[in-house]
Amino acid sequence: MSKESLTKLNEALIKHFKETGIKNAYYYEPVSDIYWNKTTTSKRVAFCNLEPYSKQNGDGVNGIVPLDKNTLYDSWFYTKTPSKIFAMNYYLSQALYEGNYDICEEDIRQAVSKNNRNENAIWEDFNNSLYFNFRYTCSKTVNADNAYIVNLYNDPFYCQHYRDFVNAAEIDILVVGGEVGCNLLNKIYPDLHLTYKGSPEKYNDRISVSMEHPSRIGYAEMIAVIYGIVDAVYKK
């Protein structure tokens, strides 16, 4: 698959939105073309959560648009989910490619903090990764509308789109937040058998990982997830 394949897939998704009366929604793609510059030793990492964030409770997206770099950067300053995801991504890269096996909770705390984090390095590192959600529209409530999200995947179109999206984006490591997210992934891939907050699973040449929702996960657990992924990557 390739960038062109992902573009065509999103065009099909946009067509489906219009045919089903959805006027305001995100579609997902890497925030930078750097993502596609994979080397023989690098891994494409993707973080999938339940739904996009909206400060306006349902009015956070106008039209059918990509979740772009500016939107993601803006949400980084307002919610725990992106800030922890960005921190995890940065230190996962440190562990995978720099051999950093001394990550501590203070490192994560500094990376999450708006005042103390090494913002440029963390943001630059995310150019190599992907952030997306099971849901495409914004919820009208502050909390995740789990019933809506689960029902969405009773539609075979969205299950197939998810599988095609993961393939087109050439994801090597897929990290899914929340128990609902883990259950949805198992529904989309019935043979995966991923355990909520359990060990990473290798399936279809991809490592899938379930963790606590990023808004609630603790720093120690974040570190455990990072090293669990590293072990799965280098496990013979």
Side-chain angles (χ1 to χ4, degrees):
M1 296 292 185
S2 64
K3 177 184 177 182
E4 291 73 23
S5 298
L6 189 61
T7 298
K8 290 181 180 179
L9 189 64
N10 277 328
E11 289 172 352
L13 177 65
I14 293 168
K15 182 174 182 287
H16 185 75
F17 286 156
K18 293 178 178 179
E19 290 173 346
T20 55
I22 296 175
K23 298 180 180 179
N24 300 303
Y26 287 114
Y27 60 91
Y28 302 111
E29 61 187 15
V31 297
S32 170
D33 283 343
I34 293 173
Y35 175 87
W36 299 105
N37 299 334
K38 181 181 176 181
T39 67
T40 55
T41 58
S42 63
K43 302 292 181 183
R44 291 199 177 101
V45 181
F47 296 87
C48 180
N49 291 302
L50 294 178
E51 62 184 12
Y53 169 71
S54 169
K55 288 184 289 183
Q56 293 82 16
N57 292 336
D59 298 322
V61 55
N62 184 20
I64 298 174
V65 297
L67 182 65
D68 61 15
K69 197 167 187 175
N70 290 337
T71 303
L72 193 55
Y73 188 86
D74 182 59
S75 66
W76 190 15
F77 281 87
Y78 290 98
T79 64
K80 294 179 181 178
T81 297
S83 61
K84 288 185 177 179
I85 290 297
F86 279 39
M88 282 193 69
N89 179 75
Y90 177 77
Y91 278 105
L92 176 59
S93 295
Q94 289 284 304
L96 279 173
Y97 309 125
E98 305 297 331
N100 185 352
Y101 292 96
D102 297 312
I103 303 167
C104 65
E105 291 185 50
E106 183 58 26
D107 292 329
I108 303 295
R109 185 178 292 106
Q110 293 282 339
V112 170
S113 170
K114 296 176 185 177
N115 298 321
N116 300 317
R117 62 190 179 202
N118 186 354
E119 185 174 303
N120 290 336
I122 293 172
W123 184 243
E124 181 179 342
D125 195 73
F126 206 80
N127 285 329
N128 300 291
S129 302
L130 177 63
Y131 185 101
F132 69 114
N133 297 285
F134 285 101
R135 182 172 180 171
Y136 305 91
T137 56
C138 289
S139 176
K140 295 182 180 180
T141 62
V142 176
N143 295 323
D145 189 348
N146 291 337
Y148 176 93
I149 300 168
V150 170
N151 185 63
L152 185 69
Y153 285 85
N154 288 329
D155 182 345
F157 173 88
Y158 287 104
C159 289
Q160 187 60 51
H161 176 80
Y162 192 100
R163 289 188 289 266
D164 291 342
F165 179 89
V166 168
N167 288 334
E170 301 177 350
I171 295 168
D172 298 303
I173 301 170
L174 176 58
V175 185
V176 176
E179 186 172 9
V180 172
C182 180
N183 292 339
L184 281 173
L185 198 65
N186 284 325
K187 180 175 183 175
I188 294 166
Y189 298 99
D191 296 327
L192 175 58
H193 307 303
L194 186 65
T195 301
Y196 176 52
K197 298 198 296 185
S199 300
E201 292 287 343
K202 288 189 176 182
Y203 177 75
N204 285 349
D205 296 322
R206 181 178 305 110
I207 295 172
S208 297
V209 186
S210 168
M211 69 176 190
E212 180 75 79
H213 191 278
S215 65
R216 295 184 291 273
I217 193 171
Y219 297 149
E221 189 175 353
M222 290 169 66
I223 295 169
V225 171
I226 289 169
Y227 287 133
I229 293 171
V230 173
D231 289 344
V233 168
Y234 294 115
K235 185 177 180 180
K236 300 297 185 181

